[in-house]
Amino acid sequence: MKSKQLNLIFATNNANKVSEVQGLIGDNINIQSLAQAEIDIDIPEPYDTLEENAHTKAKTIFDLTGTSCFSEDTGLFVETLQGQPGVHSARYAGEPANDKNNIEKLLHSLQGEGNRKAYFMTVICLVTAKETHYFTGKCEGEILALQVGEKGFGYDSIFCPIGSERSFGEMNKEEKSEYSHRRKAVEKLIEHLGMEDF
């Protein structure tokens, strides 16, 4: 294990994601959100892949600060909707972007549909002075007919992972991490950084 604490900027303004990732990483890596790093910037996500969106966010902040940075992009891919909302998950229902509208649109799109298979995919892009690396995590499950649970964020209340009878919205952080796509990607990031012994 490295004895010196590693500092990384997490190129996001989403406090929920920062809290989740910091909880997964532990104390040996200090994560700073854009707000904590005093960076006031809204980085567009114009691309058609999670990899490209994650890279543009991380590279923008690295170029701005010179500090090692990572970003992630996550999408919910629904089989019968040809992968929608996918890379556009955060703004699926348009502007203003919010979880309530996104969930309502998705449930409406799946009315009467028997195939409700879906998966979450997270791609993390790490940019340092020496390298750019990608780490992915996937969680398969299905979309519920109704919202269940008030925990989590995004589509958590309507997504039930394979192996569970409860939605992400019913799980606390520890329970969700057993299945989490984000955890799987973060663990690969941790291993790459040589911090897998925490």
Side-chain angles (χ1 to χ4, degrees):
M1 184 191 302
K2 297 177 183 177
S3 58
K4 184 178 179 180
Q5 187 181 60
L6 181 63
N7 295 304
L8 289 173
I9 294 177
F10 184 5
T12 184
N13 288 306
N14 188 319
N16 289 310
K17 288 185 178 181
V18 174
S19 175
E20 184 172 329
V21 170
Q22 185 69 75
L24 292 169
I25 282 182
D27 298 329
N28 292 326
I29 301 177
N30 180 51
I31 302 298
Q32 279 191 308
S33 67
L34 292 180
Q36 290 168 328
E38 299 183 342
I39 300 170
D40 184 11
I41 185 172
D42 185 22
I43 306 169
E45 300 177 22
Y47 299 106
D48 293 326
T49 68
L50 300 176
E51 288 83 359
E52 289 175 295
N53 283 332
H55 177 261
T56 194
K57 290 184 285 187
K59 186 69 164 56
T60 296
I61 299 305
F62 176 79
D63 289 346
L64 186 65
T65 65
T67 300
S68 295
C69 175
F70 72 95
S71 181
E72 66 90 58
D73 200 21
T74 293
L76 175 63
F77 297 80
V78 180
E79 185 173 276
T80 195
L81 299 180
Q82 292 76 51
Q84 292 185 34
V87 71
H88 304 295
S89 293
R91 293 173 172 80
Y92 184 46
E95 300 291 350
N98 64 66
D99 296 344
K100 179 177 179 293
N101 291 344
N102 289 337
I103 288 173
E104 287 179 353
K105 179 177 179 178
L106 182 57
L107 291 180
H108 180 75
S109 298
L110 289 174
Q111 278 185 350
E113 177 57 56
N115 177 8
R116 305 182 77 86
K117 291 180 182 179
Y119 65 87
F120 273 114
M121 176 75 80
T122 289
V123 175
I124 290 175
C125 178
L126 170 70
V127 176
T128 72
K130 298 180 180 180
E131 61 187 11
T132 297
H133 276 280
Y134 297 89
F135 312 93
T136 62
K138 184 177 182 181
C139 176
E140 298 191 45
E142 65 176 13
I143 304 300
L144 303 175
L146 299 170
Q147 294 187 64
V148 185
E150 298 180 352
K151 297 184 177 70
F153 58 98
Y155 297 89
D156 283 356
S157 63
I158 58 170
F159 183 83
C160 180
I162 290 176
S164 175
E165 296 182 355
R166 297 187 300 156
S167 75
F168 274 167
E170 296 177 275
M171 300 179 187
N172 60 34
K173 289 181 181 179
E174 291 73 22
E175 292 168 328
K176 180 182 176 182
S177 72
E178 292 183 25
Y179 305 93
S180 173
H181 44 290
R182 193 168 286 112
R183 172 189 61 78
K184 293 171 185 176
V186 169
E187 284 182 346
K188 293 175 183 177
L189 169 66
I190 292 168
E191 183 176 3
H192 177 76
L193 295 171
M195 303 294 290
E196 61 268 45
D197 294 330
F198 344 148

